[in-house]
Structures are given as structure tokens and as C-alpha cells.
Amino acid sequence: MGLAVFFGCTFVAFGPALSLFILTVAGDPLRVIILVAGSFFWLVSVLLSSLIWFISVQVSDRNDSSLQYGLLIFGAAISVLLQEAFRYAYYRLLKKADEGLATISEDGRSPISIGQMAYVSGFSFGIISGVFSVINILADAVGPGIVGVHGDSQYYFLTSAFLTMAIVFLHTFWGIIFFAACEKRKPFHIVGVVLSHLITSGLTFLNPWYEASLIPIYIITLGMGVWAFVAAGGSHHNIRKCLACKYGGLLHMQLVFYSFTICLLSVNGNTEAECLRFAVTLQEHLYKCRRRFSPPT
């Protein structure tokens, strides 16, 4: 049971991040370098915030529980501010690197855009933040022991995994919005990123009241995702073009969907004849799509 919880929570927390890494980062060495460097910047920011919190605890009354709880909140706020400060420092570094890459390139253009750098840098912050927030929890999930024996929530591991997944996405969205705001000189957008980061961090103090923390965090994640989409240049027209299959995207999405459905049919115990019948239906449907969306000759 412990191993099942461990692997389940691991895939919930890092499954989307792993897919994004394989599809969008792993194939480009420059993006991998930006990812590793961004993780280092996040680690330095957390190290500094940890030192500030540790010193404040040492010089305070350690027997005063309310004071120590207040210092914990103070440490979380300092950590958020330092993370955003180092995000800006990383933006400045990548901006200089982008200018250098454009100078040495043959066509005078950088091989990677600022938008791509924003995505990878935010993604790096999210991955390393997620790893540090959930690694000890996953280690305890292996066992021995069962959560909830003494009246605690049985969903501790699962909610922690979903929270980690949200944090990975949030840092990715924050990176895109932050870099776009720096490029377009929109300080209020930067303030919005910092405030949403502070609110998200503050909501985690409501745990183990998971309904009051996890649901608002996912609402913030959805909002930040829409904001990042707009900041990256997305629009309703782009979505319509994608759904209208101008470049064959709809056909590919249908292929993936039906392939996934066939896998579900076979896993759920359907007979070989039923799967074959569905495959024939799939082939006919794709043929109709191909005729419908093929450009005129």
C-alpha cells in the first residue's frame, strides 16, 4: 500500500511537469541549461530566506509558540519576496545572455526568444520548488504507518501531491507574466505576481483544512494560467484557429483521443473483436477528417 501511495502521489505531483519537460525542454540543450541555472537561482533564494528565519528564531523566545508561529509566517513571506527578487535577477541575466547570443549568431538573432526563456525559467522554479516541498512527504508515504489512524486527514499525501502540481504550474505562469511585465515595463503586473505568490503561500497555513487552501489555490492557478496565456500573446483568435484545425491540430488531437480510448477499452476487459470494431470506426472517422481538412489542390 505504501508503494502504491508513493508512486500515485509522485505521478500526480510531477506527471504533468515530466511531460512538459520531455516535450518542451529536453530536446533543446539551451533550454536545459536555462532550466538548471534557474533551479540554482531558486535554491540560493531559499537558502537566504532560511538563514533569515533561522537567525530570527535563535534570537527570539523559543518557548513562545505564538511568536514562533508568527516567525514562520514571516519566514514564508521573506522567502516569497526573495524568490521574486531572484526571478528578476535571473531575468536580467537572461536578457544579457540573449543579447550576447544575438551578437554571435550568423543572422543576428538569438536562437531562443525571451518568451521561451520566461517559460523555461518559471518551469525551473516550479520543478525545484515542488521537489523541495514534497520530497519528505513522499519519503514518508512509503511507510511504515498509515495516515489517519489518530484522527488526522486520510488525504494528506494526495492533497500534498495536488498542491505540488499547482505550485509547479503557478511558478511557470508567474515566470511568463513576470518576464512579459519586465519587457513591457508594467510594474503593476509584477506587483500582481508577487501578491498572488504571497496569497498562495499564505493559504498553505490553512492546512489541514484542505478545502480552504487547495480550492482557492487552484482558482488562482487557473487565473494565472489565463493571464500567462494573454501575456505570452495568446488570444481568442489563436484558440479558434487551433480548434478550427487550420494546421491539422484537430486531426492530431482526435488521433490521440481515440488511441487513448482504445487503450482504455482493452484495459477494461473488452474483447478483441470490440476493440477491432472500434479501430475500424476510428479509421473511417479519420479518413473523413482528412478529406474535410485537406487543403484544396
Side-chain angles (χ1 to χ4, degrees), residues 16 19 44 52 89 98 104 133-134 143 192 200 210 212 230 244 259 275 296:
S19 300
V44 174
I52 294 173
D98 183 63
I104 64 176
S133 64
V134 82
T200 302
Y210 299 118
V230 175
S259 300
C275 293

Side-chain angles (χ1 to χ4, degrees), residues 59-292:
V59 299
S60 63
D61 184 6
R62 305 186 67 175
N63 296 322
D64 190 343
S65 59
S66 60
L67 176 61
Q68 295 304 314
Y69 187 74
L71 288 176
L72 184 62
I73 297 176
F74 167 75
I78 290 296
S79 177
V80 169
L81 295 177
L82 283 175
Q83 286 178 50
E84 297 305 328
F86 272 80
R87 196 192 302 275
Y88 177 74
Y90 195 40
Y91 161 77
R92 298 298 302 173
L93 177 64
L94 290 178
K95 187 70 174 176
K96 291 292 183 182
D98 183 63
E99 295 173 359
L101 290 171
T103 302
I104 64 176
S105 64
E106 295 180 355
D107 56 358
R109 295 183 298 178
S110 173
I112 184 170
S113 66
I114 288 293
Q116 292 171 341
M117 289 181 177
Y119 162 71
V120 178
S121 66
F123 188 51
S124 67
F125 273 50
I127 288 179
I128 194 66
S129 176
V131 168
F132 266 73
S133 64
V134 82
I135 189 67
N136 290 330
I137 297 174
L138 292 177
D140 291 336
V142 180
I146 298 176
V147 175
V149 173
H150 299 291
D152 299 321
S153 174
Q154 300 180 9
Y155 304 106
Y156 172 68
F157 292 126
L158 188 60
T159 52
S160 299
F162 275 103
L163 178 60
T164 301
M165 181 175 63
I167 292 297
V168 174
F169 281 123
L170 277 171
H171 270 290
T172 305
F173 299 149
W174 286 331
I176 295 172
I177 298 168
F178 195 98
F179 277 45
C182 291
E183 283 290 297
K184 299 175 182 177
R185 304 194 177 198
K186 296 182 177 180
F188 289 108
H189 290 193
I190 297 176
V191 173
V193 170
V194 176
L195 287 178
S196 63
H197 197 168
L198 285 170
I199 293 172
T200 302
S201 180
L203 285 171
T204 60
F205 285 94
L206 297 177
N207 292 335
W209 188 16
Y210 299 118
E211 298 87 351
S213 62
L214 198 61
I215 295 176
I217 286 175
Y218 267 88
I219 294 174
I220 294 174
T221 303
L222 181 61
M224 289 296 108
V226 174
W227 190 0
F229 174 74
V230 175
S235 65
H236 182 259
H237 180 64
N238 300 132
I239 299 177
R240 290 183 61 185
K241 283 200 304 184
C242 177
L243 295 179
C245 192
K246 184 174 181 180
Y247 301 107
L250 181 58
L251 183 61
H252 294 160
M253 288 181 0
Q254 289 172 334
L255 179 60
V256 171
F257 172 75
Y258 282 118
S259 300
F260 178 68
T261 308
I262 289 176
C263 291
L264 287 180
L265 287 172
S266 60
V267 169
N268 289 332
N270 293 78
T271 64
E272 183 178 352
E274 291 173 333
C275 293
L276 182 60
R277 191 180 309 115
F278 188 84
V280 172
T281 305
L282 167 64
Q283 185 178 6
E284 294 175 353
H285 184 74
L286 291 179
Y287 176 72
K288 293 178 182 178
C289 289
R290 192 179 299 113
R291 292 186 58 187
R292 178 182 178 185

